[in-house]
Structures are given as structure tokens and as C-alpha cells.
Amino acid sequence: EPVTNLTHLWIAGGERFDIVVHTKTEGSYNTDTPYKIKVFGYSEISKENPQKTFCTTAWLKYPGQTVDPNFVTPADCTGFDDLPSFHRTLNPVPNNYTEWESRLKFGDWNNTNNGGNIYIADLRGLQLKPTIKSSHGFAKNDSIGGLNNTNYYELKGRSFNGLKLKFSGVPILLQNETYLNNHKSERCGQDCNFTVHEDPTLPIALRHQYLQTNCTNRLPTICIDKKPCHCEHVMKQPYAPGYWADILLINNHENDTAHPIHIHGGWSWVMAMDQFPFPINRTFIQGLNEACPDKDHCLWTKNIRLPPAKDTIQVPTGGYVLLRTPLDNAGAWLMHCHINRHLKEGMAMVMQIGGFEHKKRYSQEWCTGHLEINGECKQN
């Protein structure tokens, strides 16, 4: 849903927003001085490691107005980060628990007279994606469209569960089981295979959904006693239009960076987001997510029907984001922190949907054309 009457918008690396500026009509604007749009940012935001600030000025110029050619943006960005007494800020960096607790929640920010911070958790979408909506919409019960393989990822140490991405040289799209079973393969991460109950008897239908997954963790010997470990980190999921998988991102420490995590290949639905005033871990968050009769998805925002869709999300410090990702786009999709330095250090992994030489009958296999199977990338 549109959020109106904003005074400020924060955009982290990789995020996208549609911005509509309502301009003034002729006769209602100053005839001499154009309007300043202040653009302000940091190289990285962390309570423990404050980084260099950057700023610039854009001008909204109406007919007859003249930009002062002698104006220079202050080198130290003085005045750029000062919020007015009344402000409505969308998507501020979620690294302050006090601000998080006093935020404008859904239903409050709709009143444009209310000032404060508005976070992604409290936005709502206008519609659901057709392949994920189906006839039943979102449901907490896994037997109605979700796959029982919630994926938990701790972001501590600028990694995903202590694993940092290192490519093997052979594109993931060209790796078959022969390559993966070779001792040279350094693939790591969750490997989810599936079973299809096509025409079950009534007793089986009562016990199983049409499609079920069974997940195991792949860990090369180089990673057994080493954290962080550099390996080819892949989360493998089946190609299953109309189904989705849950990804729960956990930012362990309240003094860390609110990592902007970007997933290539499509959009995810933000089902929940929260922050705590103390360090957290997977055990704590998983306990909360399983503390309800359904034993899963317990952290979903209460009564949420139209969650917002994002392909990049800032994970709150000392908090989490729960994403629901549709499995309808076969391929190998990079998932990474959008802070360049963190990405360079290996804070990335790959979400693989479908697989090469994998269950052709269910459209799992990729078409690789003339490319050499298990062939390494070569520089011409």
C-alpha cells in the first residue's frame, strides 16, 4: 500500500522503491529559489564501527527559478542528518531497539498526522503473486502449499551459518551429480529433495501433502572443524510452482550491522520481522517459531493477509526477518549482503531451484544447451 506524506526515505544497498513526488501547481511555489532534496548516506552503518558519511544535493527546479551557482554541499555533511521535530521516515536502518519499539505500526502510519519511523514489517501489499496465492492463499499448515523445510541462517561473522561462498570454477548450472560426488567438490549447505504423492490412497492423502521435501546438510571435510569455512554454499530446493520455502535470517548481535540481504531471481514475502535488546541465536528464534500448535511459522505477523514483497531487506540488529520465497523460477540465484565489502569477504550463498539431471518427469532439469557439463569457466 502507498505510504504518503513522507519527509524521509532510507534506501539500503540493493533496495528499490517507487517514489512519487507531488509537485506544486503554478503560482503556489517560490518564484526565485528552487527546492533542495538532500541525499545523505554512510559507507556502512554499525554501532561499533561508524563509517564515513556521504552527501549531495539535488534540486527541484520550477520555471523561473535559478540554482545558486555558488552553492556547495558541505564536505562534512553538516545538517544533512538532522531530522525535523515532525518527521515520517520510511525504512530507517533497524539498528536501534528503542526506535523499533516506538515505531508507527500498520494502522497507525495510515494517519498522515502521525509522525515517526515506519519499517518494512508494518507495510502491506496490494496483491499476492498468482502462483503463490492459489485458492487458499497463505496458510500456516504445511499441508496447504508450504514445504516443511524452514531454513535458518545466522549472519554472525559476515557469513551464512559460518559458511562463506567460494565458487569452484564450474558454474552451478553445469554441475551434475557426478561432479558433486567427486572428492574435489566443495559444495556445502542444505540439499532438499522431494517426493510426489501423485494418486495417493485416502490414508496416505490424510498423512501426506502432494509434494514433500526431505532435507540434509552437505558439508565437505574442509569445513568439519573450521568456522568460518569457505565453500560453495548452496541451498537446494525443488522447482515447484505454487509452493514456497521459508527463509529465516537471524542477525545475532544488537551492535552488528543491519545487513541488507538481496536475493536474485524474484521477490520474497516479508512474513515477519522483529528486534530484541539482547543477543540472540538460532536456538532462541527457532524456539519462538515453533511455539504454537502448528509447530512452525509461529512468528508470522498476526493475521497478515497481504505481506509486502521485497528482493532486498535490512535484517534488524539483534533481530530477524522471516521471508516466504516462491519456488517457481528454476535456476541458481545468488543471495548476498549488499554491502560490497561484506560480499567480497564471502557473505553470500546460492539458492538453487531445480537441478541438472534431476527428475526430468517433474520439469526439474535445466536446459544447458551447448555448454559443457562440469566444464570450468575459461577466460578467453
Side-chain angles (χ1 to χ4, degrees):
E1 296 182 18
V3 183
T4 59
N5 199 33
L6 289 174
T7 59
H8 298 78
L9 169 65
W10 186 270
I11 305 176
E15 288 193 298
R16 316 171 200 225
F17 288 90
D18 292 324
I19 304 172
V20 178
V21 178
H22 291 282
T23 58
K24 296 179 179 293
T25 58
E26 186 175 1
S28 64
Y29 54 82
N30 299 327
T31 58
D32 51 356
T33 307
Y35 295 87
K36 293 190 186 77
I37 299 176
K38 295 181 177 180
V39 183
F40 174 82
Y42 300 92
S43 59
E44 180 181 339
I45 293 183
S46 171
K47 291 182 179 179
E48 293 182 341
N49 299 299
Q51 299 293 313
K52 184 177 180 181
T53 57
F54 297 90
C55 56
T56 189
T57 303
W59 298 92
L60 178 60
K61 181 175 175 289
Y62 290 93
Q65 295 179 336
T66 303
V67 176
D68 182 0
N70 298 316
F71 176 85
V72 177
T73 299
D76 60 358
C77 299
T78 300
F80 270 68
D81 59 346
D82 295 336
L83 294 179
S85 57
F86 176 86
H87 71 92
R88 284 169 60 85
T89 303
L90 176 61
N91 193 43
V93 181
N95 64 352
N96 186 305
Y97 177 73
T98 301
E99 291 182 357
W100 172 264
E101 283 294 285
S102 61
R103 71 189 188 275
L104 292 177
K105 297 183 179 180
F106 178 67
D108 296 328
W109 58 256
N110 305 70
N111 184 343
T112 58
N113 293 319
N114 291 335
N117 292 325
I118 306 168
Y119 293 89
I120 299 301
D122 297 296
L123 301 184
R124 293 296 181 269
L126 292 176
Q127 62 183 17
L128 291 177
K129 188 174 182 177
T131 58
I132 204 171
K133 186 175 183 180
S134 67
S135 59
H136 46 259
F138 281 106
K140 288 194 175 185
N141 188 339
D142 271 333
S143 65
I144 315 179
L147 298 183
N148 190 19
N149 61 11
T150 298
N151 304 270
Y152 295 85
Y153 291 103
E154 293 182 295
L155 305 183
K156 61 183 178 181
R158 297 174 183 171
S159 71
F160 289 91
N161 287 343
L163 303 175
K164 290 178 177 281
L165 183 64
K166 181 182 76 172
F167 286 111
S168 66
V170 176
I172 292 172
L173 286 168
L174 302 179
Q175 296 177 8
N176 64 13
E177 290 301 317
T178 301
Y179 176 85
L180 294 177
N181 292 330
N182 189 292
H183 69 280
K184 293 182 179 180
S185 172
E186 295 182 353
R187 167 92 56 111
C188 57
Q190 185 161 274
D191 193 337
C192 295
N193 292 308
F194 68 95
T195 301
V196 174
H197 301 280
E198 295 188 58
D199 189 20
T201 61
L202 180 59
I204 294 178
L206 293 174
R207 290 170 44 227
H208 299 291
Q209 63 187 81
Y210 175 76
L211 187 147
Q212 288 184 304
T213 53
N214 178 42
C215 302
T216 57
N217 272 321
R218 185 191 295 261
L219 198 66
T221 54
I222 61 171
C223 294
I224 293 177
D225 297 314
K226 185 179 180 181
K227 289 288 181 75
C229 179
H230 290 78
C231 55
E232 196 165 60
H233 192 184
V234 177
M235 172 178 61
K236 181 182 175 183
Q237 296 285 346
Y239 171 65
Y243 287 80
W244 53 83
D246 281 6
I247 300 175
L248 223 161
L249 302 171
I250 303 166
N251 203 352
N252 301 71
H253 203 279
E254 69 269 28
N255 289 326
D256 206 337
T257 303
H259 299 283
I261 302 300
H262 175 52
I263 304 178
H264 290 234
W267 302 89
S268 296
W269 276 256
V270 183
M271 305 304 297
M273 182 176 176
D274 205 354
Q275 191 172 25
F276 303 89
F278 48 79
I280 60 175
N281 56 27
R282 170 176 174 163
T283 301
F284 174 72
I285 296 299
Q286 187 168 350
L288 295 178
N289 197 41
E290 296 176 353
C292 65
D294 292 317
K295 302 298 182 184
D296 203 357
H297 315 127
C298 309
L299 289 175
W300 281 15
T301 301
K302 186 177 180 182
N303 297 325
I304 191 166
R305 296 297 179 199
L306 290 168
K310 291 279 286 178
D311 64 351
T312 304
I313 185 76
Q314 297 181 90
V315 184
T317 56
Y320 67 85
V321 170
L322 200 165
L323 301 174
R324 176 143 277 208
T325 301
L327 302 176
D328 58 1
N329 193 10
W333 305 108
L334 190 64
M335 173 177 167
H336 63 93
C337 178
H338 228 294
I339 296 174
N340 290 345
R341 184 160 62 93
H342 296 187
L343 174 58
K344 186 177 179 180
E345 293 174 4
M347 192 173 183
M349 57 182 291
V350 172
M351 183 175 184
Q352 175 181 330
I353 300 178
F356 183 70
E357 290 186 344
H358 185 65
K359 298 192 177 183
K360 295 182 181 180
R361 179 179 179 186
Y362 299 114
S363 302
Q364 297 297 303
E365 185 177 51
W366 297 318
C367 177
T368 56
H370 65 280
L371 299 175
E372 179 187 354
I373 305 307
N374 299 330
E376 294 191 13
C377 292
K378 299 176 183 179
Q379 186 174 2
N380 295 326

